[in-house]
């Protein structure tokens, strides 16, 4: 079923700090940024809320968001029905029906096909981005998101296929451009491979993000009420497979939108002001010439 966009008017009603004059100001600012694609009012509201209603931080985040999508096609590009079906067959990812204790939306994920031959981190990240985008467009502003990853099945053979460039790019995206607040990121059932991956990631993670990342060697921690978990994790909700099936059908039925959304990236040839922090990170041709994340 094609998704129905969240009501803009409802957003103004439910968020006391959301001001129409701030949104209008950002719309006027965007008209003077020819390199940034046209944004829906809802999209502006989502970023403004994620940036805790700081207009100046929102401007930076919007610019970062579309620029990073342009420079990271391995994560944000190549979205079509055939490749989407392949990704859906290899990974589970779906929101849980009930929010966490702090009101955040919980997205539960794990490897579905544990063969290292089919594993690609960029495919998993691509699918997670699609899931988060659809949730935001349908539900509007969220208190935040919590991502829970069951590391069962992730071994050294999977780690060997991980591109450090993809890891770096996605970490920069999380810290500089994510249009929703990431409240917590939990990895559980972690083995040696996940610990080694985290060791590779750690030098590129700011303290603010480091504070929300948690690795658990055992089962998922008590930040979620047990009854709200998928049934195979001792909860009373549907299985992760069933939740994933619902989410995957939503993704596939909205592929036209997803493909169109993929094209919304910055056009650097139209940028009026050439020096931005993201350009410094990626370089003129989109390669890593500098990684100064502090």
């Amino acid at each position: 079923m094609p998704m129905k966009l969240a009501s803009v008017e409802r957003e103004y009603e439910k968020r006391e700090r959301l001001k129409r004059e701030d949104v209008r100001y950002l719309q006027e600012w965007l008209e003077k940024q020819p390199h940034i694609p046209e944004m829906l009012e809802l999209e502006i509201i989502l970023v403004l809320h994620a940036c805790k209603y700081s207009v100046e931080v929102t401007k930076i985040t919007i610019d970062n968001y579309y620029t990073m999508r342009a420079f990271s096609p391995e994560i944000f590009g190549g979205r079509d029905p055939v490749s989407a079906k392949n990704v859906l067959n290899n990974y589970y990812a779906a929101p849980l029906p009930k929010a966490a204790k702090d009101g955040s939306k919980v997205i539960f994920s794990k490897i579905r096909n544990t063969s290292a031959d089919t594993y690609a981190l960029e495919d998993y990240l691509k699918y997670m981005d699609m899931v988060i985008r659809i949730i935001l467009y349908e539900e509007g502003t969220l208190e935040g998101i919590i991502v829970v990853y069951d590391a069962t099945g992730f071994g050294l053979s999977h780690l060997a296929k991980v591109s450090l460039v993809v890891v770096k790019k996605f970490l920069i995206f999380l810290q500089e451009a994510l249009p929703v607040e990431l409240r917590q990121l939990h990895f559980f059932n972690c083995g040696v491979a996940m610990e080694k991956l985290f060791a590779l990631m750690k030098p590129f993670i700011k303290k603010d993000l480091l504070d929300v990342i948690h690795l658990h060697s055992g089962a998922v921690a008590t930040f979620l009420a047990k009854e709200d978990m998928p049934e195979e994790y001792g909860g009373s909700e549907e299985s992760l497979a069933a939740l994933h099936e619902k989410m995957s059908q939503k993704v596939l039925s909205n592929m036209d939108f997803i493909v169109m959304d993929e094209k919304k990236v910055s056009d650097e040839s139209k940028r009026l002001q050439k020096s931005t922090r993201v350009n410094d990170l990626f370089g003129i041709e989109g390669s890593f010439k500098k990684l100064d994340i502090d």
Side-chain angles (χ1 to χ4, degrees), residues 142-186:
L142 302 174
E143 300 307 317
I145 60 169
I146 294 174
V147 177
V148 182
Y149 180 78
D150 181 353
T152 301
F154 182 84
L156 293 174
S157 56
H158 298 82
L159 178 62
K161 297 187 67 177
V162 171
S163 163
L164 189 56
V165 171
V166 170
V167 170
K168 291 174 182 176
K169 284 186 176 184
F170 195 71
L171 285 172
I172 296 169
F173 178 78
L174 284 183
Q175 295 170 111
E176 307 292 343
L178 190 68
V180 63
E181 181 183 353
L182 178 62
R183 290 277 180 90
Q184 298 176 49
L185 179 54
H186 289 269

Side-chain angles (χ1 to χ4, degrees), residues 5-16 18 20 23-24 41-42 45 141:
L5 295 183
S7 166
V8 168
E9 290 305 314
R10 174 64 183 134
E11 291 300 322
Y12 287 112
E13 292 172 4
K14 76 178 185 180
R15 300 295 179 189
E16 184 177 339
L18 178 61
R20 293 180 190 271
V23 175
R24 282 196 296 269
E41 186 172 358
L42 175 63
I45 290 171
T141 56

